Amino acid sequence: MNKALNNIIISSRIRLARNIDGLPFPEKVSADKAALIPRDVYAALSGVDTYTIYRMNEISETDGNVLKEKHLISEDLLRNKDTGAAIINESETVSILINEEDHVREQCILPGFALKEAFTAINAVDDAIAKKVRFAYGEKLGYLTACPTNLGTGMRASAMMFLPGLSIYNSLQACVNAISRLNMTIRGVYGEGSDSVGYIYQVSNQKTLGVSERQIIDAVETSVGHIAEAELKARDSLKTSGGDELKDKIMRAYGILTNAYKIDSKEFMQLMALVNLGAYYGYIKLSDREQFLKLITNAQPANIASLSNKDLNGDERDVFRAKYVSKVLSTITKK
Amino acid sequence: MNKALNNIIISSRIRLARNIDGLPFPEKVSADKAALIPRDVYAALSGVDTYTIYRMNEISETDGNVLKEKHLISEDLLRNKDTGAAIINESETVSILINEEDHVREQCILPGFALKEAFTAINAVDDAIAKKVRFAYGEKLGYLTACPTNLGTGMRASAMMFLPGLSIYNSLQACVNAISRLNMTIRGVYGEGSDSVGYIYQVSNQKTLGVSERQIIDAVETSVGHIAEAELKARDSLKTSGGDELKDKIMRAYGILTNAYKIDSKEFMQLMALVNLGAYYGYIKLSDREQFLKLITNAQPANIASLSNKDLNGDERDVFRAKYVSKVLSTITKK
């Protein structure tokens, strides 16, 4: 199950929503006061790890989107050109969003199925910040947040999951229904609307109030486990029913990714999903899963533009992406 | 021009139609008499080269189609299960068809642009046979043939040409019109009807009477030269207008051919044509053109079935073909 889980669960994320005591929520706070928060939080973290501060009014559009594609900041933060800021550690596992919906949103993302580890890490960050900054906290409501759906723990625990089997069988809705009873929700990570390009989904808790952090993590772990099991079954049937056609589709996807002269990000995601499934089935030998997942991020539009170090138009970007993808994939895979 | 011609002209072929003096044409001759011809011709050739005799009533369906796909025998010969036979030399450059439309059809196929060489070779074969067998010959009509279109020299000189540029630009008809004034004709080699899968065409003379062998060869060479020049120009414009899209299409074709799990012969031909064009443009480095052309023949249905040494159904054949093609192509090409 462990190796299989590695193919299914891409990353685990814990996010804590916090606000400064005595300060109106970001929507209402004055720019002057809001502008002080990044400095205070940054100061609180010095000594814990090496952090860099990115102010949304200083960052270039590409650099901002690079961080967004890495899931280190949100579109909402990016748009707050007045007082938005992100404080990110060197390994890019911890990111503190300042003046987004809440004053402070602390998140930790770790590869694989590691919610507890992510919680431990973000808890340490939370403690460090809490030493310098007093968070708004009520006896009954717990951490006070701008949106009532985050009250209580202010915690969102989520797993990013690769679910080609359930997607292709249209069984995702059944899973959603099953886990919604556990107060869980699921959404596509890439692409618009309910469709998820590349079969990548995020499963997370909806309930933050009246439960402990530990209970949230347990519930998400249980849900993720259920979904993973269903996904494994779906992959088995898919292999049986898909047969040679499916294997051919996977091998052609691999052939195109390692040979195309140009490729856009949507097709890249679709083909990578097939190759990822091929790695699960053993059709393709993948020697470095971490690099494979990093490639997914690196080939997104802003990241690929940033890697090229050049001012590329859309077509040139697709050419650069194809070359980059082919090179990386050829290094970490074998037929 | 020489290297370019190598990419355009796949092979050259000379065919001489002959009939035995005093014997009715194959349509009318008795089976007893017809059955003697293979033996006589075979005897005439012993000492010239090592020949194998294939009798159409003994050969398996697959083996017969193997020879047909190699252009060593015709469908008409294959169907003459009574008295049809082929006498083929070891290198498979010379093939004598017995009891097809005429009693004896001698052909020589050589790779590249080599009509004169092919003529020299088949002329020697013709002389050797003529020493044992008296051919029907009239002072005015030359060699007498079953169909009047072959009277005179009984000779058809042809070149197999790879013409993607002219095909894609729909300029082939203009070429056909131009060369038809020279009494030349052009037809697709693979696929049904006027379409040619893989852009491979055969250019040959129509006129056999009232011209010398030398004149026929000169006329075919001139026509082939004209077509090749037009093809080169078309390829240049194609490269300019096709740009990145064309290069991408070529590289994806290469990726699919070297990675697909299954492939049918039609798609194989279409993708090989793109790779061949890519080799011309220098997008793909081809180290062994002879093996590349051999691969085209070897991947045809009967040849691939024969190479597999197994009794495969259609799907299994496509799987075997994909594996074979990927292996050979990976050996003789580089990006």
Side-chain angles (χ1 to χ4, degrees):
Chain A
M1 182 79 173
N2 250 359
K3 213 190 143 198
L5 274 188
N6 259 341
N7 188 286
I8 294 176
I9 303 167
I10 297 172
S11 62
S12 303
R13 174 172 169 269
I14 301 281
R15 184 268 285 155
L16 303 175
R18 300 288 185 256
N19 287 279
I20 314 292
D21 196 29
L23 216 60
F25 288 132
E27 186 111 331
K28 304 274 180 192
V29 75
S30 72
D32 287 2
K33 295 236 163 107
L36 298 175
I37 309 175
R39 205 197 47 189
D40 290 349
V41 173
Y42 185 73
L45 291 170
S46 70
V48 179
D49 195 352
T50 309
Y51 281 88
T52 305
I53 187 159
Y54 301 88
R55 290 175 202 278
M56 297 304 120
N57 57 8
E58 289 171 0
I59 202 167
S60 75
E61 203 190 318
T62 298
D63 288 349
N65 283 316
V66 163
L67 295 177
K68 203 185 109 195
E69 286 169 3
K70 288 177 172 176
H71 307 291
L72 292 169
I73 67 171
S74 65
E75 181 63 31
D76 281 354
L77 186 76
L78 203 50
R79 273 199 297 245
N80 179 4
K81 294 291 176 200
D82 280 343
T83 58
I87 298 171
I88 299 171
N89 72 345
E90 254 190 320
S91 60
E92 298 188 333
T93 52
V94 173
S95 169
I96 325 288
L97 282 60
I98 312 279
N99 295 320
E100 204 233 30
E101 189 181 296
D102 296 295
H103 293 139
V104 179
R105 286 194 159 196
E106 308 155 355
Q107 73 159 18
C108 175
I109 303 181
L110 294 179
F113 200 18
L115 283 172
K116 288 195 187 73
E117 292 84 343
F119 179 69
T120 305
I122 207 62
N123 213 22
V125 167
D126 190 50
D127 286 349
I129 299 174
K131 274 186 193 150
K132 289 268 183 183
V133 175
R134 193 215 288 255
F135 288 140
Y137 187 87
E139 204 53 53
K140 265 184 112 168
L141 293 174
Y143 288 101
L144 303 179
T145 54
C147 176
T149 58
N150 289 316
L151 284 171
T153 54
M155 180 165 122
R156 190 81 66 209
S158 63
M160 209 193 278
M161 302 184 78
F162 174 56
L163 303 174
L166 293 171
S167 308
I168 291 168
Y169 276 111
N170 286 319
S171 309
L172 216 51
Q173 193 51 50
C175 275
V176 173
N177 295 343
I179 65 168
S180 67
R181 272 178 271 134
L182 294 163
N183 288 304
M184 295 293 143
T185 183
I186 186 166
R187 65 171 182 87
V189 174
Y190 293 92
E192 310 275 311
S194 62
D195 249 24
S196 177
V197 178
Y199 311 126
I200 297 176
Y201 296 86
Q202 192 184 59
V203 175
S204 63
N205 64 306
Q206 281 189 297
K207 198 175 170 184
T208 56
L209 184 65
V211 284
S212 70
E213 285 85 353
R214 179 72 212 210
Q215 283 172 318
I216 293 172
I217 291 175
D218 283 350
V220 174
E221 280 188 345
T222 303
S223 304
V224 166
H226 282 325
I227 296 171
E229 249 177 79
E231 170 64 20
L232 287 178
K233 274 190 200 137
R235 289 189 188 184
D236 279 352
S237 337
L238 191 61
K239 193 179 176 185
T240 310
S241 68
D244 286 357
E245 303 298 330
L246 177 66
K247 185 169 183 182
D248 187 43
K249 212 172 153 188
I250 288 170
M251 296 318 294
R252 283 166 184 248
Y254 181 67
I256 291 171
L257 282 176
T258 49
N259 288 283
Y261 180 65
K262 51 182 288 190
I263 193 162
D264 64 30
S265 57
K266 186 175 174 186
E267 190 190 7
F268 162 78
M269 288 301 287
Q270 290 163 333
L271 301 183
M272 280 291 273
L274 285 167
V275 169
N276 202 1
L277 189 60
Y280 172 75
Y281 288 142
Y283 300 155
I284 293 158
K285 283 165 203 71
L286 178 57
S287 60
D288 191 334
R289 173 153 294 277
E290 205 181 312
Q291 287 302 313
F292 185 85
L293 296 175
K294 208 171 161 186
L295 178 58
I296 293 179
T297 301
N298 283 346
Q300 301 303 316
N303 273 271
I304 209 73
S306 171
L307 282 167
S308 77
N309 266 324
K310 269 181 237 153
D311 211 7
L312 304 179
N313 66 30
D315 278 348
E316 291 165 340
R317 192 185 292 181
D318 288 350
V319 171
F320 184 85
R321 178 184 292 111
K323 204 171 170 179
Y324 181 82
V325 168
S326 165
K327 197 181 139 193
V328 174
L329 210 54
S330 300
T331 314
I332 61 174
T333 56
K334 235 176 39 177
K335 273 203 291 182
Chain B
M1 181 82 173
N2 250 358
K3 212 190 144 199
L5 272 188
N6 259 341
N7 187 286
I8 295 176
I9 304 166
I10 296 172
S11 62
S12 303
R13 173 173 170 268
I14 301 281
R15 183 268 284 157
L16 303 175
R18 301 289 186 256
N19 287 279
I20 314 292
D21 196 29
L23 216 60
F25 288 132
E27 187 110 331
K28 304 276 182 191
V29 75
S30 72
D32 289 1
K33 295 240 165 101
L36 299 176
I37 310 176
R39 205 196 48 189
D40 291 347
V41 172
Y42 185 73
L45 290 171
S46 70
V48 179
D49 196 351
T50 309
Y51 282 86
T52 306
I53 189 160
Y54 301 87
R55 291 175 202 279
M56 296 305 119
N57 56 10
E58 291 171 0
I59 202 167
S60 74
E61 203 189 318
T62 297
D63 288 349
N65 283 317
V66 163
L67 295 178
K68 204 186 107 195
E69 287 169 1
K70 288 177 173 178
H71 307 291
L72 292 170
I73 67 171
S74 65
E75 181 62 32
D76 280 353
L77 186 76
L78 204 50
R79 273 197 298 243
N80 179 3
K81 296 287 177 205
D82 280 342
T83 58
I87 298 171
I88 299 172
N89 71 345
E90 255 191 318
S91 60
E92 298 189 333
T93 52
V94 173
S95 170
I96 325 286
L97 283 60
I98 313 279
N99 295 320
E100 202 232 32
E101 188 181 297
D102 296 296
H103 293 139
V104 179
R105 286 197 160 194
E106 310 154 353
Q107 72 158 19
C108 175
I109 302 180
L110 295 179
F113 200 18
L115 283 172
K116 288 193 188 74
E117 292 84 342
F119 179 69
T120 304
I122 207 63
N123 213 21
V125 167
D126 190 50
D127 286 350
I129 299 175
K131 274 185 195 151
K132 290 265 182 187
V133 173
R134 193 212 292 251
F135 289 139
Y137 186 88
E139 205 52 55
K140 265 185 110 171
L141 293 174
Y143 288 102
L144 303 179
T145 53
C147 176
T149 58
N150 290 316
L151 284 171
T153 54
M155 178 165 124
R156 192 81 64 211
S158 63
M160 208 193 277
M161 301 184 78
F162 174 56
L163 303 174
L166 293 171
S167 309
I168 291 169
Y169 275 112
N170 286 319
S171 308
L172 216 52
Q173 195 50 50
C175 276
V176 173
N177 296 342
I179 66 167
S180 67
R181 273 178 270 132
L182 293 162
N183 288 303
M184 295 292 143
T185 183
I186 187 166
R187 66 170 183 88
V189 175
Y190 294 92
E192 310 274 310
S194 62
D195 249 24
S196 176
V197 178
Y199 312 126
I200 296 175
Y201 297 87
Q202 191 185 59
V203 176
S204 64
N205 64 304
Q206 282 189 295
K207 200 175 167 182
T208 57
L209 185 63
V211 283
S212 70
E213 285 84 352
R214 179 70 212 209
Q215 283 172 319
I216 292 172
I217 290 174
D218 282 351
V220 174
E221 280 189 346
T222 304
S223 304
V224 166
H226 283 323
I227 295 171
E229 249 176 79
E231 169 65 19
L232 287 178
K233 275 191 199 134
R235 288 190 189 183
D236 279 352
S237 334
L238 191 61
K239 193 178 176 185
T240 309
S241 68
D244 286 358
E245 302 299 329
L246 177 65
K247 185 167 183 182
D248 187 44
K249 211 171 152 186
I250 289 170
M251 296 317 296
R252 283 166 184 248
Y254 181 67
I256 291 171
L257 282 176
T258 48
N259 289 282
Y261 180 66
K262 52 183 287 193
I263 192 161
D264 64 29
S265 57
K266 186 176 174 186
E267 189 191 8
F268 162 77
M269 288 300 287
Q270 291 164 332
L271 300 184
M272 280 292 272
L274 285 168
V275 169
N276 202 0
L277 189 60
Y280 171 75
Y281 288 141
Y283 300 156
I284 293 158
K285 281 166 206 71
L286 178 58
S287 60
D288 192 333
R289 171 154 295 276
E290 207 182 312
Q291 287 302 314
F292 185 85
L293 296 174
K294 210 172 159 184
L295 178 58
I296 293 178
T297 301
N298 283 346
Q300 299 304 315
N303 273 272
I304 209 75
S306 171
L307 281 167
S308 78
N309 267 324
K310 270 181 236 152
D311 211 8
L312 305 179
N313 66 30
D315 278 348
E316 291 166 338
R317 192 185 292 180
D318 289 349
V319 170
F320 185 84
R321 178 184 291 111
K323 204 170 172 182
Y324 182 82
V325 168
S326 165
K327 195 181 142 195
V328 174
L329 210 54
S330 299
T331 314
I332 61 174
T333 55
K334 235 177 38 179
K335 274 202 292 182

